[in-house]
Every structure is written in C-alpha cells, then in structure tokens.
Amino acid sequence: MIIVLIGYMGSGKSTIGKGLANVLSMNFLDLDSVIETSEKMTIHDIFKNYGEIYFRKKESELLRKVIKEQDNLILSLGGGTPCYSQNMVFLNETDKVTTLYLKPSINTLSERLFDEKAHRPIISHLASKDVLKEFIAKHLFERNAYYEQAHTVLNTDNCTVQETIERIVLELF
Ligand code: S3P
C-alpha cells in the first residue's frame, strides 16, 4: 500500500506524513526531496536555473518511478504535483495507491506560509499577508478541482498533527 498525501503548500503533508509513517511502521518519502536528491539541487534552484516546465517534467517522472518501485510507503507530494501531467489520474488508477487530501482553511494556510515563503518559488515574491491570502484563495480555486479527486478529503483546521494522524488512521483502516 502507498498512502499519497496531497494538499496546498503549508498543509502539513511532510510533518503529518512522517508522523503517520512512524505510527504505521511504513516508510516515508517527500517527493520534493526525491527531486532535490535526483537533480542535486534545491527546488528553489531548479526553478531559478531551469524554470517551472522542467521542474514539472522531473516531478511527474520521479512520481511514476517512486510509485512503480516502492510499497509500504507514505509519500507526500508537492502542492502542485496533482495538477500537472495527469498525475491525479495516474495515482487514482494505480491499485496500491490511496490518495488523501489534507485541507486546512485559507486563513491557516496564509498564516503558516507567510513566514516560510522564501524557499517556495511560487509564492516567494508576494510581499504582504493580504496579497498572499488573496493569491492562495485564487490558486486554491484552480487547484481544488484536482485535489478533490483524492479518495479521501480531510478538513484539518483546528486539529493538531497528532489528532490529524489519528483521524487518518481511523479513516483508512
Ligand atoms: C509547489 C509546492 C512545493 C514545491 C514547489 C512547487 C507548488 O511543495 O513542489 O515549490 O506548485 O505548490 P510543497 O507543497 O511541499 O511546499
């Protein structure tokens, strides 16, 4: 079984993924880290040196490679992964995969992301909290169509990491 965590930047995919892997004695991988290791470059530098189209190509190639080669895995994706290269269709057509959308509110996302936007090329140029919040609202409106294709959608507002992990375990097993 591979549990794939999807959701917007700042939705807690990596933190929750690591905790969940621990509780379920499964392996954990973060697709962004897989890309950085494979390209020997940070995500920020891949965007800067080669642009987003190159990044999206590598992202979908490595997603397929990981899913093909691994099992007993929690995999957290990048915020944009479900929205390109038919990745959501690919995931939902793969029997051993279950997809789970972590869905905090726009307020929670903008509060979390403002302090950590520097290393995220998609939002690093947004100067104020208000502008960031408006950007997230519009962006989520576009991306939700892909995210909502997940097998399970979990509203995670007002939940600690531990509570979210417990809810995922209850939901999936
Ligand atoms: C992106 C999200 C990032 C990373 C890249 C693009 C996006 O991942 O893949 O910067 O398009 O939303 P996180 O969601 O882990 O920050």
Side-chain angles (χ1 to χ4, degrees):
M1 179 185 203
I2 301 181
I3 301 172
V4 176
L5 300 182
I6 71 171
Y8 202 69
M9 292 171 273
S11 57
K13 301 174 297 268
S14 301
T15 312
I16 291 162
K18 279 180 203 153
L20 187 63
N22 205 17
V23 168
L24 296 174
S25 299
M26 291 171 81
N27 300 316
F28 172 77
L29 280 176
D30 178 312
L31 188 62
D32 280 345
S33 305
V34 173
I35 298 168
E36 289 182 331
T37 306
S38 165
E39 293 293 295
K40 300 181 184 65
M41 215 181 283
T42 62
I43 301 292
H44 180 272
D45 284 347
I46 300 172
F47 269 73
K48 197 175 76 182
N49 296 334
Y50 300 117
E52 183 172 357
I53 293 174
Y54 177 88
F55 171 78
R56 295 300 174 198
K57 188 165 174 282
K58 290 292 150 196
E59 180 181 52
S60 74
E61 283 170 11
L62 288 166
L63 172 68
R64 282 160 177 75
K65 186 171 189 291
V66 169
I67 298 291
K68 188 169 168 229
E69 292 176 356
Q70 302 266 343
D71 210 344
N72 194 41
L73 178 74
I74 310 289
L75 175 67
S76 68
L77 302 187
T81 321
C83 316
Y84 295 89
S85 315
Q86 300 273 45
N87 289 337
M88 222 40 219
V89 174
F90 161 71
L91 289 168
N92 283 337
E93 277 178 352
T94 305
D95 283 345
K96 67 179 171 181
V97 168
T98 182
T99 46
L100 195 142
Y101 172 21
L102 297 174
K103 188 178 184 183
S105 69
I106 293 169
N107 270 340
T108 301
L109 290 173
S110 51
E111 283 302 322
R112 276 189 203 155
L113 284 172
F114 192 70
D115 297 328
E116 355 166 329
K117 63 187 173 71
H119 63 278
R120 289 179 159 105
I122 304 276
I123 53 169
S124 54
H125 62 290
L126 303 169
S128 74
K129 269 192 187 172
D130 282 350
V131 173
L132 175 64
K133 193 171 163 186
E134 192 169 327
F135 178 89
I136 294 172
K138 285 189 188 148
H139 210 192
L140 262 180
F141 184 74
E142 295 162 12
R143 287 188 165 184
N144 256 329
Y146 298 93
Y147 294 162
E148 299 275 351
Q149 290 171 32
H151 294 125
T152 307
V153 179
L154 212 66
N155 289 292
T156 58
D157 250 6
N158 306 315
C159 275
T160 64
V161 169
Q162 208 45 47
E163 283 163 355
T164 305
I165 291 170
E166 282 164 20
R167 285 178 60 209
I168 295 174
V169 173
L170 282 176
E171 190 73 40
L172 296 184
F173 298 95

